[in-house]
Coordinates of all heavy atoms in Angstrom, one line a residue:
V1 N 103.8 116.4 93.2 CA 103.1 115.1 93.2 C 102.3 115.0 94.5 O 102.7 115.4 95.6 CB 104.2 114.0 93.2 CG1 103.5 112.6 93.3 CG2 105.0 114.1 91.9
I2 N 101.1 114.5 94.3 CA 100.2 114.1 95.4 C 100.1 112.6 95.5 O 99.8 112.0 94.5 CB 98.8 114.8 95.2 CG1 98.9 116.3 95.2 CG2 97.8 114.3 96.3 CD1 97.6 117.0 94.9
G3 N 100.3 112.1 96.7 CA 100.2 110.6 96.9 C 98.8 110.2 97.2 O 98.0 110.9 97.8
G4 N 98.5 109.0 96.9 CA 97.2 108.4 97.2 C 97.3 107.0 97.6 O 98.1 106.2 97.0
V5 N 96.7 106.6 98.7 CA 96.7 105.3 99.3 C 95.3 104.8 99.5 O 94.6 105.3 100.4 CB 97.5 105.2 100.6 CG1 97.6 103.8 101.1 CG2 98.9 105.8 100.4
F6 N 94.9 103.8 98.7 CA 93.5 103.3 98.8 C 93.6 101.7 98.9 O 94.6 101.1 98.5 CB 92.7 103.7 97.5 CG 92.6 105.2 97.3 CD1 93.5 105.8 96.5 CD2 91.6 105.9 98.0 CE1 93.4 107.2 96.3 CE2 91.5 107.3 97.8 CZ 92.4 107.9 97.0
S7 N 92.5 101.1 99.3 CA 92.4 99.7 99.4 C 91.7 99.1 98.2 O 90.5 99.1 98.2 CB 91.7 99.3 100.7 OG 92.4 99.7 101.9
F8 N 92.5 98.6 97.3 CA 91.9 98.0 96.1 C 91.6 96.5 96.4 O 90.8 95.9 95.7 CB 92.8 98.1 94.9 CG 93.1 99.5 94.4 CD1 94.3 99.8 93.8 CD2 92.2 100.5 94.7 CE1 94.5 101.1 93.4 CE2 92.4 101.8 94.3 CZ 93.6 102.1 93.6
H9 N 92.3 96.0 97.4 CA 92.1 94.6 97.8 C 92.0 94.5 99.3 O 92.5 95.5 100.0 CB 93.3 93.7 97.3 CG 93.5 93.6 95.9 ND1 94.2 94.6 95.2 CD2 93.1 92.7 95.0 CE1 94.2 94.2 93.9 NE2 93.6 93.1 93.7
Y10 N 91.5 93.4 99.8 CA 91.4 93.2 101.3 C 92.3 92.1 101.8 O 92.3 91.8 102.9 CB 90.0 93.0 101.7 CG 89.3 94.2 102.1 CD1 88.0 94.5 101.7 CD2 89.9 95.2 103.0 CE1 87.3 95.6 102.1 CE2 89.2 96.3 103.3 CZ 87.9 96.5 102.9 OH 87.3 97.7 103.3
Y11 N 93.0 91.4 100.8 CA 93.8 90.3 101.2 C 95.2 90.4 100.6 O 95.4 91.1 99.6 CB 93.1 89.0 100.8 CG 91.8 88.8 101.3 CD1 90.7 89.1 100.5 CD2 91.5 88.4 102.6 CE1 89.4 88.9 101.0 CE2 90.2 88.2 103.1 CZ 89.2 88.5 102.3 OH 87.9 88.4 102.8
M12 N 96.1 89.6 101.3 CA 97.5 89.6 100.8 C 97.9 88.1 100.7 O 97.4 87.3 101.4 CB 98.5 90.3 101.7 CG 98.3 91.8 101.7 SD 99.4 92.5 102.9 CE 101.0 91.9 102.2
H13 N 98.9 87.8 99.8 CA 99.4 86.5 99.7 C 100.2 86.2 101.0 O 101.0 87.0 101.4 CB 100.4 86.4 98.5 CG 99.7 86.4 97.2 ND1 98.8 85.3 96.8 CD2 99.6 87.3 96.2 CE1 98.3 85.6 95.6 NE2 98.8 86.8 95.2
T14 N 99.9 85.0 101.6 CA 100.7 84.6 102.8 C 102.0 84.0 102.3 O 102.1 83.1 101.5 CB 99.9 83.5 103.5 OG1 98.6 84.1 103.9 CG2 100.6 83.1 104.8
V15 N 103.1 84.6 102.9 CA 104.4 84.1 102.6 C 105.1 83.6 103.8 O 105.1 84.3 104.9 CB 105.2 85.3 101.9 CG1 106.6 84.8 101.6 CG2 104.5 85.8 100.7
K16 N 105.7 82.4 103.7 CA 106.5 81.9 104.8 C 107.9 82.1 104.5 O 108.5 81.5 103.6 CB 106.2 80.4 105.0 CG 104.8 80.1 105.5 CD 104.6 78.6 105.7 CE 103.2 78.3 106.2 NZ 102.9 76.8 106.5
H17 N 108.6 82.9 105.4 CA 110.0 83.2 105.1 C 110.9 82.1 105.7 O 110.7 81.7 106.9 CB 110.3 84.6 105.7 CG 109.5 85.7 105.2 ND1 109.5 86.0 103.9 CD2 108.7 86.6 105.8 CE1 108.7 87.0 103.6 NE2 108.2 87.4 104.8
N18 N 111.9 81.8 105.0 CA 112.9 80.8 105.5 C 114.2 81.5 106.0 O 115.1 80.8 106.6 CB 113.3 79.8 104.4 CG 113.8 80.5 103.2 OD1 114.2 81.7 103.2 ND2 113.8 79.7 102.1
Y19 N 114.2 82.8 105.9 CA 115.3 83.6 106.4 C 116.7 83.3 105.8 O 117.7 83.5 106.5 CB 115.4 83.6 108.0 CG 114.1 84.0 108.6 CD1 113.2 83.0 109.1 CD2 113.7 85.3 108.7 CE1 112.0 83.4 109.6 CE2 112.5 85.7 109.2 CZ 111.7 84.8 109.7 OH 110.5 85.2 110.3
T20 N 116.7 82.7 104.7 CA 117.9 82.3 104.0 C 118.0 83.1 102.7 O 119.1 83.2 102.1 CB 118.0 80.8 103.7 OG1 116.9 80.4 102.9 CG2 118.0 80.0 105.0
T21 N 117.0 83.7 102.2 CA 117.0 84.5 101.0 C 116.2 85.7 101.2 O 115.4 85.9 102.2 CB 116.3 83.7 99.8 OG1 115.0 83.4 100.1 CG2 117.1 82.4 99.5
M22 N 116.3 86.7 100.3 CA 115.6 88.0 100.4 C 114.1 87.7 100.3 O 113.7 87.1 99.3 CB 116.1 88.9 99.4 CG 115.5 90.3 99.4 SD 116.0 91.3 100.9 CE 117.7 91.6 100.5
P23 N 113.3 88.2 101.2 CA 111.8 88.0 101.1 C 111.3 88.7 99.8 O 111.8 89.7 99.4 CB 111.3 88.7 102.3 CG 112.4 88.7 103.3 CD 113.6 88.9 102.4
E24 N 110.3 88.0 99.2 CA 109.6 88.6 98.1 C 108.8 89.8 98.5 O 108.3 89.8 99.6 CB 108.8 87.6 97.4 CG 109.5 86.4 96.7 CD 110.3 86.9 95.6 OE1 109.9 87.8 94.9 OE2 111.4 86.3 95.4
P25 N 108.6 90.8 97.6 CA 107.7 91.9 97.9 C 106.3 91.5 98.2 O 105.8 90.5 97.6 CB 107.8 92.8 96.7 CG 109.0 92.4 96.0 CD 109.2 90.9 96.3
L26 N 105.7 92.1 99.2 CA 104.3 91.8 99.5 C 103.4 92.1 98.3 O 103.5 93.1 97.6 CB 103.8 92.6 100.7 CG 104.6 92.5 102.0 CD1 104.2 93.4 103.1 CD2 104.5 91.0 102.5
S27 N 102.5 91.2 98.1 CA 101.6 91.3 96.9 C 100.1 91.1 97.4 O 99.8 90.3 98.3 CB 101.9 90.3 95.8 OG 101.9 89.0 96.3
C28 N 99.2 91.7 96.7 CA 97.8 91.6 97.1 C 97.1 90.4 96.4 O 97.6 89.9 95.5 CB 97.1 92.9 96.6 SG 97.8 94.4 97.2
A29 N 96.0 90.0 97.0 CA 95.3 88.9 96.5 C 93.8 89.2 96.5 O 93.3 90.1 97.2 CB 95.6 87.6 97.3

């Protein structure tokens, strides 16, 4: 397997963590 890492987006969803639950996975926007 060959890995590839490219920028399909330039932005991410801003998430405010409350540190009481597991953070959601980072997602692109």
Side-chain angles (χ1 to χ4, degrees):
V1 177
I2 298 178
V5 184
F6 302 95
S7 295
F8 299 153
H9 299 83
Y10 266 137
Y11 302 100
M12 293 179 54
H13 289 292
T14 301
V15 179
K16 292 184 178 180
H17 301 301
N18 55 18
Y19 303 102
T20 59
T21 59
M22 183 69 69
E24 293 293 327
L26 299 174
S27 58
C28 305

